[in-house]
Structure formats: C-alpha cells, structure tokens
Amino acid sequence: MAFSNHYVLFIAIVAILVPSITAVEYVVGDEKGWTINFDYQAWAQGKEFHVGDKLVFKYPERAHNVFKVDGVGFKQCAPPADAAALTTGNDVITLTTPGRKWYICGVAQHCQVGNQKLFITVLDDDLASPTISPSPTKEDQPSRATTITTTTFGFIITTLLLGLLFA
C-alpha cells in the first residue's frame, strides 16, 4: 500500500515538473540582446527551439520593440496593422506551438537597415531537427525544440526524487 501511494505521488510530481525542467529560456542575441547590426540568424543557427521554450528580448526600454509577424511581414519588415508591440525591454515570449516564427523591431528603420529581425523554427518533440529556410514565405507554418542539458537536468531531478521516495 505504501509503495502504491509513493508511486502515485512520484507520478504527480514528475507530471508537474517535467514541462518546466525541459523548457529552455533563450536570451535573444545573448549578451548583445535585441539590438541593431547583429546577425540573429547566425545566433539562432544550431539552436533547437521547442514548444514551452521562452525567448527573452532584452533591450533598453523605448529604444526598440518586438513584433511577431508572418513570413511576408518578416521579408518586408512590416508589422501587422492591428498588432501591439512588446515594449518593456525585457519581453518574454513562450513558444506555445510548433512551426516557423518571425520577429522584427518596428522602430524606425531598425529591421530594414539594422537587420533587427529573427526567424526560428519551433519543433515538436517527436519531429526531427528543423531545416531553416533562407527566404520565408506567407505559406510557412510554425514548429519546436529542446536541449540535452535540460533533459539531463530533468533526469537527475527525477532520479533524486525516486531515491527520496523509495529510500
């Protein structure tokens, strides 16, 4: 009976913790943050973005903003007319669906001249690594990704919890 109660408790803890353990928080541009004259495609190269991961756009408040756009808006550096910009300087976007995602700065000519734009593919856990398209189109759809480090961390936490519950 005690074993059964411990097992149920363990399953409940894992169900609650695993999504937060496997999610990765990416600061866009790393120490440079969200700024002009930075190659965000090179920054994203080699990273796998997954549903549940977070993008953090860090920049001086009022110096920049962030708009989520589609492939056409990305190519034209044009935010949607009805969209509200993110403007806090510490904007966090949780990747909730798989597929292609595009982000631009809507301040002045930051996107057009300063190349302040980001394109990523968000993977499903059961899909292979993404193929980055150099020229996104309007028909492009979203995707997702995770990292070995967070998966290893999740395994360690799970092992420790099992040890505590069944010791």
Side-chain angles (χ1 to χ4, degrees):
M1 185 68 134
F3 174 78
S4 177
N5 288 339
H6 286 333
Y7 183 72
V8 171
L9 178 62
F10 170 74
I11 295 298
I13 290 170
V14 169
I16 292 168
L17 292 179
V18 166
S20 64
I21 291 171
T22 60
V24 177
E25 189 172 279
Y26 294 97
V27 175
V28 175
D30 295 325
E31 65 280 344
K32 287 285 197 178
W34 185 236
T35 189
I36 58 173
N37 301 319
F38 184 84
D39 188 348
Y40 289 100
Q41 293 323 116
W43 172 83
Q45 189 75 29
K47 291 178 175 61
E48 286 191 358
F49 302 94
H50 294 266
V51 170
D53 289 350
K54 295 179 182 191
L55 298 177
V56 181
F57 291 83
K58 292 188 176 211
Y59 54 91
E61 195 173 352
R62 288 181 233 148
H64 304 289
N65 60 31
V66 180
F67 280 96
K68 184 177 189 301
V69 296
D70 61 13
V72 172
F74 182 83
K75 285 173 101 173
Q76 297 175 352
C77 286
D82 60 344
L86 301 175
T87 60
T88 68
N90 191 34
D91 304 316
V92 179
I93 296 174
T94 301
L95 303 173
T96 59
T97 58
R100 294 181 178 156
K101 310 293 180 190
W102 301 272
Y103 304 94
I104 65 170
C105 179
V107 172
Q109 297 288 307
H110 292 192
C111 179
Q112 296 92 329
V113 177
N115 200 35
Q116 193 171 0
K117 55 188 184 176
L118 170 67
F119 165 62
I120 63 170
T121 300
V122 181
L123 299 176
D124 271 331
D125 284 333
D126 49 341
L127 295 179
S129 294
T131 302
I132 304 293
S133 169
S135 55
T137 63
K138 187 174 184 175
E139 296 78 34
D140 289 334
Q141 299 299 315
S143 111
R144 140 179 151 96
T146 59
T147 68
I148 294 172
T149 304
T150 55
T151 303
T152 303
F153 178 72
F155 175 75
I156 291 168
I157 294 297
T158 303
T159 303
L160 289 173
L161 285 173
L162 274 173
L164 290 173
L165 287 174
F166 298 110

